[in-house]
Amino acid sequence: MAVIPLTRCQFILPFANLHSSVGGPTASLLAKFQLPTSLEEKPHLFVPLLPAVRFAVAAQDKQGLSELAFRAAQLTSFEHLSEVTRTRIRHAPTLLVALQHACRWASLEDTTLQLWMEPCGASINVCSRLLGTDGVPRLEMSQWLQNIFAIHIVRQFAGANWAPRVIAFEANYAPGIEVQHFWPNTRFLSCQKASWIEVPLELVGLANPANDTSQAPSENEPQPIATDVISVLKLALPAYLDEGGLSIMQAAEMVRLSVRSLQRKLSLAGMTYAGLLERARFNNAIRLLGDTEIKIIDIAFSSGYGDPAHFTRAFRRISGCTPREFRLRSRSQHVEINRPVSSSNDDRR
């Protein structure tokens, strides 16, 4: 089966905001490509990358927006990276260690992102590539962000005005005058074996001027891995819950299978699609119950339940207690609330 790359909603937001700023019908265009319309409410949730690229291309073409990916990249910052990645970089004693962390944990940003470093004379190239995107046109939409985030990492050590001498794209992309004016001392390359930026060797030993002294994340923290149908759906379904969730037909289309093939794969894993969707709803609910002060009725709607009473019944069936009881218990006992659904209750539907 083909790899299904996923990206975080955070990375689609700049494109959507630019499209909206010129009066584009952003919600309807997102819906056309089966993307959530409330991106700003779920920046760290995952959605399929290729529909996101098609959305960006359509937004640029329909509104006549030149260099949309470049403009979107300018709206991003170091803070757009995942919290875990940012914390590791802030703890890194040198730029080299920070880049090593970024390479190791790249899938926290895009599930199929590969990031690595290659020595090249008096510099190193920080390279990136997305698995599962071979032959996809207009990938500069994604590669601008891949390169700009490597630049943001270097700037944590080299200063906010640092710019690479070379920015390279895997895509067949030639930057326009607007881009060249913004990066006057940077050379652009296209049709490379990967996207990359050039970093002088003298920078990699730079000490971190803003080293955070708080506790660093565990090196054993799991990464989002989406190499099979079930893993892809587990990561992607939460982004759609507040909009009613995905039908099994939409889910099958997302993972490029027929409905029957999807049902067969789920059955081999001892699951049904209804059970998988209910698991996503339950996990979303316990996350909100344990981490926020959101009203329970709002948690019900956010988790895809149109009726709060239905939410309470479903929650009690899975957990053995009501949402309110669960919230009180988690607060009083300080228990870990992000546990999986009990296998005995997964798919009894």
Side-chain angles (χ1 to χ4, degrees):
M1 178 190 159
V3 175
I4 311 296
L6 302 178
T7 189
R8 290 194 292 122
C9 293
Q10 182 89 290
F11 302 146
I12 310 174
L13 265 172
F15 296 93
N17 289 340
L18 285 166
H19 185 252
S20 296
S21 70
V22 296
T26 303
S28 62
L29 191 61
L30 286 166
K32 176 181 178 179
F33 293 101
Q34 288 195 17
L35 295 168
T37 57
S38 54
L39 296 171
E40 66 282 350
E41 298 174 9
K42 52 195 75 165
H44 300 301
L45 297 182
F46 286 90
V47 293
L49 171 73
L50 298 186
V53 170
R54 290 194 286 271
F55 161 78
V57 171
Q60 175 172 275
D61 294 348
K62 288 179 180 295
Q63 299 300 322
L65 294 168
S66 64
E67 296 287 4
L68 180 60
F70 158 73
R71 296 186 187 188
Q74 301 315 302
L75 294 180
T76 65
S77 69
F78 180 70
E79 298 303 315
H80 279 73
L81 291 168
S82 66
E83 182 179 358
V84 172
T85 299
R86 296 196 313 268
T87 304
R88 284 195 170 90
I89 290 167
R90 286 174 176 143
H91 276 80
T94 65
L95 174 57
L96 178 61
V97 175
L99 291 171
Q100 289 171 338
H101 281 315
C103 291
R104 179 176 178 185
W105 301 95
S107 68
L108 290 171
E109 314 306 326
D110 294 282
T111 58
T112 66
L113 177 62
Q114 292 182 322
L115 197 67
W116 70 98
M117 292 179 282
E118 292 184 355
C120 184
S123 63
I124 62 168
N125 295 338
V126 182
C127 308
S128 62
R129 180 187 295 129
L130 287 162
L131 298 178
T133 60
D134 290 346
V136 176
R138 308 291 293 276
L139 274 178
E140 70 272 10
M141 294 295 179
S142 172
Q143 290 162 13
W144 256 115
L145 298 189
Q146 292 165 223
N147 282 330
I148 207 70
F149 287 129
I151 292 170
H152 285 317
I153 292 171
V154 177
R155 285 176 172 174
Q156 298 304 300
F157 296 78
N161 295 321
W162 180 82
R165 292 180 295 202
V166 179
I167 298 178
F169 295 85
E170 188 178 357
N172 183 9
Y173 162 73
I177 295 175
E178 179 182 1
V179 177
Q180 295 175 33
H181 178 75
F182 189 87
W183 300 89
N185 300 315
T186 297
R187 184 162 60 104
F188 290 90
L189 302 176
S190 67
C191 299
Q192 301 292 294
K193 66 176 184 179
S195 299
W196 51 272
I197 65 167
E198 182 184 88
V199 180
L201 279 176
E202 64 262 24
L203 296 186
V204 298
L206 286 176
N208 192 338
N211 201 354
D212 195 331
T213 58
S214 61
Q215 185 176 359
S218 167
E219 287 299 309
N220 297 319
E221 184 169 323
Q223 299 183 62
I225 299 174
T227 57
D228 60 85
V229 166
I230 295 174
S231 296
V232 167
L233 290 176
K234 283 181 178 179
L235 282 176
L237 285 177
Y240 297 87
L241 294 178
D242 63 340
E243 299 180 12
L246 294 177
S247 68
I248 189 170
M249 186 176 299
Q250 291 171 319
E253 183 179 349
M254 176 185 290
V255 294
R256 306 175 198 170
L257 291 174
S258 66
V259 170
R260 176 171 291 186
S261 294
L262 174 57
Q263 290 173 323
R264 187 182 304 116
K265 286 184 177 293
L266 289 168
S267 178
L268 289 173
M271 298 180 176
T272 65
Y273 182 68
L276 190 65
L277 185 57
E278 185 165 62
R279 178 190 293 256
R281 288 172 172 161
F282 178 75
N283 286 342
N284 185 72
I286 59 174
R287 177 180 62 84
L288 295 176
L289 286 167
D291 292 349
T292 76
E293 297 298 323
I294 299 176
K295 293 179 180 179
I296 288 177
I297 189 172
D298 293 329
I299 293 175
F301 295 144
S302 174
S303 301
Y305 295 95
D307 179 0
H310 181 200
F311 169 54
T312 298
R313 289 194 299 270
F315 194 94
R316 179 186 283 141
R317 183 177 66 251
I318 294 172
S319 67
C321 62
T322 67
R324 189 176 304 279
E325 291 168 343
F326 181 90
R327 170 173 274 174
L328 292 172
R329 186 181 305 168
S330 65
R331 286 174 177 172
S332 62
Q333 298 180 1
H334 304 287
V335 295
E336 172 60 43
I337 55 89
N338 286 320
R339 57 183 181 275
V341 180
S342 170
S343 59
S344 62
N345 292 312
D346 276 353
D347 300 300
R348 294 182 178 178
R349 292 188 65 179

mmCIF file of all heavy atoms in Angstrom, residues 282 284-296 299 311 315 322-324 326-328 330-331 337:
data_model
loop_
_atom_site.group_PDB
_atom_site.id
_atom_site.type_symbol
_atom_site.label_atom_id
_atom_site.label_comp_id
_atom_site.label_asym_id
_atom_site.label_seq_id
_atom_site.Cartn_x
_atom_site.Cartn_y
_atom_site.Cartn_z
ATOM 1 N N PHE A 282 -13.505 9.018 22.140
ATOM 2 C CA PHE A 282 -13.231 8.832 23.563
ATOM 3 C C PHE A 282 -11.879 9.423 23.946
ATOM 4 O O PHE A 282 -11.750 10.119 24.956
ATOM 5 C CB PHE A 282 -13.277 7.344 23.901
ATOM 6 C CG PHE A 282 -12.965 7.036 25.341
ATOM 7 C CD1 PHE A 282 -13.892 7.286 26.332
ATOM 8 C CD2 PHE A 282 -11.739 6.501 25.700
ATOM 9 C CE1 PHE A 282 -13.604 7.013 27.656
ATOM 10 C CE2 PHE A 282 -11.444 6.229 27.017
ATOM 11 C CZ PHE A 282 -12.390 6.478 28.012
ATOM 12 N N ASN A 284 -10.267 11.784 22.481
ATOM 13 C CA ASN A 284 -10.378 13.246 22.444
ATOM 14 C C ASN A 284 -11.063 13.765 23.705
ATOM 15 O O ASN A 284 -10.648 14.769 24.302
ATOM 16 C CB ASN A 284 -11.174 13.670 21.207
ATOM 17 C CG ASN A 284 -11.237 15.175 21.041
ATOM 18 O OD1 ASN A 284 -10.259 15.827 20.690
ATOM 19 N ND2 ASN A 284 -12.405 15.756 21.287
ATOM 20 N N ALA A 285 -12.095 13.072 24.129
ATOM 21 C CA ALA A 285 -12.840 13.501 25.313
ATOM 22 C C ALA A 285 -11.981 13.442 26.572
ATOM 23 O O ALA A 285 -11.977 14.387 27.368
ATOM 24 C CB ALA A 285 -14.087 12.635 25.485
ATOM 25 N N ILE A 286 -11.241 12.353 26.772
ATOM 26 C CA ILE A 286 -10.451 12.261 28.003
ATOM 27 C C ILE A 286 -9.297 13.264 27.997
ATOM 28 O O ILE A 286 -8.899 13.762 29.049
ATOM 29 C CB ILE A 286 -9.935 10.826 28.260
ATOM 30 C CG1 ILE A 286 -9.062 10.308 27.125
ATOM 31 C CG2 ILE A 286 -11.098 9.884 28.489
ATOM 32 C CD1 ILE A 286 -8.429 8.947 27.423
ATOM 33 N N ARG A 287 -8.791 13.582 26.796
ATOM 34 C CA ARG A 287 -7.746 14.603 26.735
ATOM 35 C C ARG A 287 -8.292 15.953 27.200
ATOM 36 O O ARG A 287 -7.660 16.659 27.996
ATOM 37 C CB ARG A 287 -7.211 14.712 25.303
ATOM 38 C CG ARG A 287 -6.159 15.795 25.099
ATOM 39 C CD ARG A 287 -5.683 15.828 23.660
ATOM 40 N NE ARG A 287 -6.738 16.150 22.729
ATOM 41 C CZ ARG A 287 -7.137 17.383 22.432
ATOM 42 N NH1 ARG A 287 -6.568 18.425 23.034
ATOM 43 N NH2 ARG A 287 -8.091 17.596 21.548
ATOM 44 N N LEU A 288 -9.466 16.299 26.725
ATOM 45 C CA LEU A 288 -10.057 17.583 27.099
ATOM 46 C C LEU A 288 -10.525 17.589 28.547
ATOM 47 O O LEU A 288 -10.399 18.589 29.249
ATOM 48 C CB LEU A 288 -11.218 17.908 26.161
ATOM 49 C CG LEU A 288 -10.847 18.131 24.692
ATOM 50 C CD1 LEU A 288 -12.097 18.346 23.856
ATOM 51 C CD2 LEU A 288 -9.897 19.309 24.538
ATOM 52 N N LEU A 289 -11.045 16.479 29.013
ATOM 53 C CA LEU A 289 -11.498 16.410 30.397
ATOM 54 C C LEU A 289 -10.338 16.545 31.376
ATOM 55 O O LEU A 289 -10.466 17.167 32.429
ATOM 56 C CB LEU A 289 -12.220 15.079 30.650
ATOM 57 C CG LEU A 289 -13.623 14.942 30.070
ATOM 58 C CD1 LEU A 289 -14.075 13.493 30.112
ATOM 59 C CD2 LEU A 289 -14.612 15.819 30.836
ATOM 60 N N GLY A 290 -9.201 15.982 31.020
ATOM 61 C CA GLY A 290 -8.076 16.003 31.938
ATOM 62 C C GLY A 290 -7.217 17.249 31.853
ATOM 63 O O GLY A 290 -6.579 17.630 32.842
ATOM 64 N N ASP A 291 -7.204 17.911 30.690
ATOM 65 C CA ASP A 291 -6.250 18.997 30.476
ATOM 66 C C ASP A 291 -6.862 20.394 30.492
ATOM 67 O O ASP A 291 -6.134 21.375 30.496
ATOM 68 C CB ASP A 291 -5.546 18.810 29.119
ATOM 69 C CG ASP A 291 -4.649 17.591 29.135
ATOM 70 O OD1 ASP A 291 -4.436 17.051 30.232
ATOM 71 O OD2 ASP A 291 -4.169 17.185 28.073
ATOM 72 N N THR A 292 -8.158 20.521 30.452
ATOM 73 C CA THR A 292 -8.749 21.848 30.278
ATOM 74 C C THR A 292 -9.928 22.053 31.210
ATOM 75 O O THR A 292 -10.372 21.147 31.913
ATOM 76 C CB THR A 292 -9.234 22.047 28.829
ATOM 77 O OG1 THR A 292 -10.441 21.316 28.670
ATOM 78 C CG2 THR A 292 -8.219 21.602 27.813
ATOM 79 N N GLU A 293 -10.437 23.261 31.180
ATOM 80 C CA GLU A 293 -11.636 23.611 31.929
ATOM 81 C C GLU A 293 -12.836 23.746 30.986
ATOM 82 O O GLU A 293 -13.830 24.386 31.319
ATOM 83 C CB GLU A 293 -11.417 24.935 32.677
ATOM 84 C CG GLU A 293 -10.326 24.875 33.723
ATOM 85 C CD GLU A 293 -10.636 23.880 34.830
ATOM 86 O OE1 GLU A 293 -11.814 23.765 35.219
ATOM 87 O OE2 GLU A 293 -9.695 23.216 35.293
ATOM 88 N N ILE A 294 -12.754 23.158 29.826
ATOM 89 C CA ILE A 294 -13.850 23.245 28.863
ATOM 90 C C ILE A 294 -15.101 22.585 29.440
ATOM 91 O O ILE A 294 -15.028 21.534 30.084
ATOM 92 C CB ILE A 294 -13.457 22.557 27.538
ATOM 93 C CG1 ILE A 294 -12.253 23.247 26.917
ATOM 94 C CG2 ILE A 294 -14.628 22.558 26.558
ATOM 95 C CD1 ILE A 294 -11.748 22.567 25.671
ATOM 96 N N LYS A 295 -16.241 23.183 29.193
ATOM 97 C CA LYS A 295 -17.502 22.624 29.670
ATOM 98 C C LYS A 295 -17.743 21.262 29.022
ATOM 99 O O LYS A 295 -17.388 21.034 27.869
ATOM 100 C CB LYS A 295 -18.656 23.562 29.341
ATOM 101 C CG LYS A 295 -18.612 24.888 30.093
ATOM 102 C CD LYS A 295 -19.792 25.765 29.693
ATOM 103 C CE LYS A 295 -19.760 27.092 30.446
ATOM 104 N NZ LYS A 295 -20.889 27.981 30.060
ATOM 105 N N ILE A 296 -18.376 20.390 29.776
ATOM 106 C CA ILE A 296 -18.589 19.029 29.291
ATOM 107 C C ILE A 296 -19.452 19.021 28.035
ATOM 108 O O ILE A 296 -19.223 18.228 27.112
ATOM 109 C CB ILE A 296 -19.185 18.154 30.406
ATOM 110 C CG1 ILE A 296 -18.103 17.882 31.460
ATOM 111 C CG2 ILE A 296 -19.729 16.831 29.843
ATOM 112 C CD1 ILE A 296 -18.561 17.099 32.666
ATOM 113 N N ILE A 299 -17.182 19.673 25.233
ATOM 114 C CA ILE A 299 -16.347 18.494 24.965
ATOM 115 C C ILE A 299 -17.141 17.482 24.145
ATOM 116 O O ILE A 299 -16.603 16.849 23.226
ATOM 117 C CB ILE A 299 -15.846 17.873 26.278
ATOM 118 C CG1 ILE A 299 -14.866 18.817 26.973
ATOM 119 C CG2 ILE A 299 -15.187 16.514 26.025
ATOM 120 C CD1 ILE A 299 -14.402 18.344 28.339
ATOM 121 N N PHE A 311 -23.280 11.373 24.405
ATOM 122 C CA PHE A 311 -21.877 11.415 24.836
ATOM 123 C C PHE A 311 -21.716 10.760 26.206
ATOM 124 O O PHE A 311 -20.825 9.927 26.419
ATOM 125 C CB PHE A 311 -21.402 12.865 24.874
ATOM 126 C CG PHE A 311 -20.070 13.067 25.546
ATOM 127 C CD1 PHE A 311 -18.947 12.350 25.155
ATOM 128 C CD2 PHE A 311 -19.942 13.987 26.583
ATOM 129 C CE1 PHE A 311 -17.712 12.553 25.773
ATOM 130 C CE2 PHE A 311 -18.718 14.200 27.203
ATOM 131 C CZ PHE A 311 -17.608 13.475 26.804
ATOM 132 N N PHE A 315 -19.589 7.416 26.849
ATOM 133 C CA PHE A 315 -18.430 7.524 27.729
ATOM 134 C C PHE A 315 -18.533 6.534 28.883
ATOM 135 O O PHE A 315 -17.563 5.863 29.245
ATOM 136 C CB PHE A 315 -18.307 8.955 28.262
ATOM 137 C CG PHE A 315 -16.983 9.252 28.899
ATOM 138 C CD1 PHE A 315 -15.959 9.818 28.162
ATOM 139 C CD2 PHE A 315 -16.762 8.970 30.245
ATOM 140 C CE1 PHE A 315 -14.729 10.090 28.743
ATOM 141 C CE2 PHE A 315 -15.542 9.239 30.840
ATOM 142 C CZ PHE A 315 -14.523 9.802 30.083
ATOM 143 N N THR A 322 -19.207 8.435 34.314
ATOM 144 C CA THR A 322 -19.642 9.556 33.493
ATOM 145 C C THR A 322 -18.463 10.496 33.244
ATOM 146 O O THR A 322 -17.453 10.446 33.963
ATOM 147 C CB THR A 322 -20.761 10.353 34.182
ATOM 148 O OG1 THR A 322 -20.211 10.998 35.341
ATOM 149 C CG2 THR A 322 -21.913 9.443 34.573
ATOM 150 N N PRO A 323 -18.552 11.381 32.245
ATOM 151 C CA PRO A 323 -17.473 12.360 32.020
ATOM 152 C C PRO A 323 -17.187 13.209 33.259
ATOM 153 O O PRO A 323 -16.022 13.478 33.581
ATOM 154 C CB PRO A 323 -18.001 13.208 30.864
ATOM 155 C CG PRO A 323 -18.942 12.313 30.139
ATOM 156 C CD PRO A 323 -19.578 11.457 31.191
ATOM 157 N N ARG A 324 -18.237 13.621 33.961
ATOM 158 C CA ARG A 324 -18.035 14.448 35.154
ATOM 159 C C ARG A 324 -17.286 13.668 36.237
ATOM 160 O O ARG A 324 -16.360 14.177 36.882
ATOM 161 C CB ARG A 324 -19.370 14.935 35.687
ATOM 162 C CG ARG A 324 -19.242 15.985 36.789
ATOM 163 C CD ARG A 324 -20.627 16.485 37.193
ATOM 164 N NE ARG A 324 -21.370 16.996 36.055
ATOM 165 C CZ ARG A 324 -21.208 18.209 35.563
ATOM 166 N NH1 ARG A 324 -20.319 19.036 36.105
ATOM 167 N NH2 ARG A 324 -21.919 18.608 34.526
ATOM 168 N N PHE A 326 -15.297 11.152 35.744
ATOM 169 C CA PHE A 326 -13.928 10.943 35.277
ATOM 170 C C PHE A 326 -13.072 12.171 35.550
ATOM 171 O O PHE A 326 -11.935 12.066 36.005
ATOM 172 C CB PHE A 326 -13.931 10.637 33.779
ATOM 173 C CG PHE A 326 -12.566 10.378 33.209
ATOM 174 C CD1 PHE A 326 -12.052 9.092 33.175
ATOM 175 C CD2 PHE A 326 -11.784 11.419 32.723
ATOM 176 C CE1 PHE A 326 -10.787 8.854 32.663
ATOM 177 C CE2 PHE A 326 -10.526 11.191 32.219
ATOM 178 C CZ PHE A 326 -10.029 9.898 32.187
ATOM 179 N N ARG A 327 -13.616 13.351 35.282
ATOM 180 C CA ARG A 327 -12.869 14.588 35.500
ATOM 181 C C ARG A 327 -12.524 14.750 36.985
ATOM 182 O O ARG A 327 -11.386 15.076 37.328
ATOM 183 C CB ARG A 327 -13.672 15.780 34.995
ATOM 184 C CG ARG A 327 -13.098 17.112 35.400
ATOM 185 C CD ARG A 327 -13.842 18.257 34.730
ATOM 186 N NE ARG A 327 -13.295 18.535 33.407
ATOM 187 C CZ ARG A 327 -13.824 19.406 32.557
ATOM 188 N NH1 ARG A 327 -14.923 20.060 32.874
ATOM 189 N NH2 ARG A 327 -13.248 19.620 31.380
ATOM 190 N N LEU A 328 -13.473 14.506 37.851
ATOM 191 C CA LEU A 328 -13.222 14.638 39.285
ATOM 192 C C LEU A 328 -12.188 13.625 39.754
ATOM 193 O O LEU A 328 -11.303 13.935 40.558
ATOM 194 C CB LEU A 328 -14.532 14.458 40.064
ATOM 195 C CG LEU A 328 -15.567 15.568 39.887
ATOM 196 C CD1 LEU A 328 -16.887 15.184 40.550
ATOM 197 C CD2 LEU A 328 -15.040 16.887 40.453
ATOM 198 N N SER A 330 -9.805 12.137 37.938
ATOM 199 C CA SER A 330 -8.469 12.429 37.405
ATOM 200 C C SER A 330 -7.817 13.575 38.152
ATOM 201 O O SER A 330 -6.603 13.597 38.346
ATOM 202 C CB SER A 330 -8.546 12.739 35.913
ATOM 203 O OG SER A 330 -9.279 13.918 35.679
ATOM 204 N N ARG A 331 -8.623 14.545 38.587
ATOM 205 C CA ARG A 331 -8.071 15.654 39.347
ATOM 206 C C ARG A 331 -7.629 15.220 40.738
ATOM 207 O O ARG A 331 -6.578 15.627 41.226
ATOM 208 C CB ARG A 331 -9.114 16.760 39.484
ATOM 209 C CG ARG A 331 -9.341 17.560 38.218
ATOM 210 C CD ARG A 331 -10.488 18.524 38.415
ATOM 211 N NE ARG A 331 -10.695 19.368 37.250
ATOM 212 C CZ ARG A 331 -11.723 20.189 37.118
ATOM 213 N NH1 ARG A 331 -12.628 20.267 38.081
ATOM 214 N NH2 ARG A 331 -11.856 20.926 36.034
ATOM 215 N N ILE A 337 -4.321 10.285 32.209
ATOM 216 C CA ILE A 337 -5.625 10.156 31.572
ATOM 217 C C ILE A 337 -5.532 9.753 30.100
ATOM 218 O O ILE A 337 -6.534 9.386 29.509
ATOM 219 C CB ILE A 337 -6.431 11.468 31.714
ATOM 220 C CG1 ILE A 337 -5.659 12.682 31.186
ATOM 221 C CG2 ILE A 337 -6.821 11.684 33.125
ATOM 222 C CD1 ILE A 337 -5.869 12.956 29.735
#
